[in-house]
Amino acid sequence: MARDMTDKEILKMELAQLKKEVDTPRTPVGANCAETVAFVEELSPNDPLIKGVSDEKNPYKGDKGGCIIT
C-alpha cells in the first residue's frame, strides 16, 4: 500500500496517526499496579503452573518421572 503512495501522502497519514496518539490519555504505571497485582493474586489459586498437577492427572509421571516447579 505504501509503495503506491507518494512521500507527501505518507507524511499526511503519519501526521494523522500522531494526532490520534497525542489525544490518548496516559496514566502512570504505578496507578495500575495495584489492580494488576490484585488480578493476578485472585487468579493464582487456580493456575496449574503455580499449584501443580496431581500425580493421578499427570500423563508423563510414569514415563519420564516427575517435575517440580519451585
Side-chain angles (χ1 to χ4, degrees):
M1 180 178 130
R3 293 180 185 162
D4 298 336
M5 300 171 70
T6 65
D7 289 340
K8 190 173 183 178
E9 291 172 335
I10 292 172
L11 289 174
K12 284 182 182 179
M13 184 176 66
E14 289 176 356
L15 181 64
Q17 181 63 32
L18 286 173
K19 285 181 181 178
K20 290 178 188 176
E21 291 176 8
V22 167
D23 293 336
T24 305
R26 307 285 187 209
T27 58
V29 175
N32 298 328
C33 286
E35 295 172 8
T36 304
V37 168
F39 176 75
V40 170
E41 288 177 347
E42 178 183 324
L43 295 179
S44 64
N46 297 325
D47 191 342
L49 291 176
I50 294 174
K51 70 179 184 178
V53 177
S54 65
D55 288 340
E56 297 85 30
K57 293 182 181 180
N58 188 354
Y60 302 105
K61 178 69 177 171
D63 296 341
K64 300 188 179 186
C67 177
I68 299 173
I69 299 174
T70 58

